[in-house]
Amino acid sequence: MFALGLRKQRSGNLDQARRALKARVRQVLHLADDTAVSISHAHCAAPACTEPQTTVLLFVPDRPTLSLHIDKPPEHIGDADILQAMLRAASQHVG
């Protein structure tokens, strides 16, 4: 029972970190209200991966989905990380 309580608490903290990151992404990137933002977090199983990865998906109406990858957990991502990920993603979409 005790372990289940700890897992639930950690999950709540991660949910809170995701919500906070979603708000930061909206603010930093000046997103319109009709742009949906999705945050996911995973630990890479490959030996070359050293950090957990956060993926931010931006769903802009009438445009392809934009995927931002940041090699940090949501609670450690700052404004500069968001901007750098956006620049990387944008440069990949430019032919």
Side-chain angles (χ1 to χ4, degrees):
M1 289 292 221
F2 183 69
L4 289 176
L6 286 178
R7 283 190 196 135
K8 189 172 187 174
Q9 182 178 7
R10 283 188 210 143
S11 175
N13 291 341
L14 183 56
D15 288 343
Q16 183 179 358
R18 285 181 185 152
R19 282 192 301 273
L21 178 57
K22 188 182 289 191
R24 290 298 311 150
V25 166
R26 286 193 162 286
Q27 183 177 13
V28 169
L29 299 180
H30 305 284
L31 298 178
D33 291 340
D34 63 350
T35 298
V37 178
S38 173
I39 309 288
S40 63
H41 173 70
H43 288 276
C44 177
C49 296
T50 58
E51 298 287 334
Q53 186 177 70
T54 299
T55 301
V56 178
L57 297 177
L58 303 177
F59 301 96
V60 182
D62 301 321
R63 297 194 183 239
T65 300
L66 193 58
S67 181
L68 313 180
H69 301 282
I70 304 170
D71 292 331
K72 294 181 179 182
E75 63 272 16
H76 294 147
I77 294 175
D79 295 358
D81 299 312
I82 296 167
L83 290 171
Q84 288 173 350
M86 184 64 178
L87 289 173
R88 280 193 307 271
S91 70
Q92 292 173 356
H93 279 46
V94 175

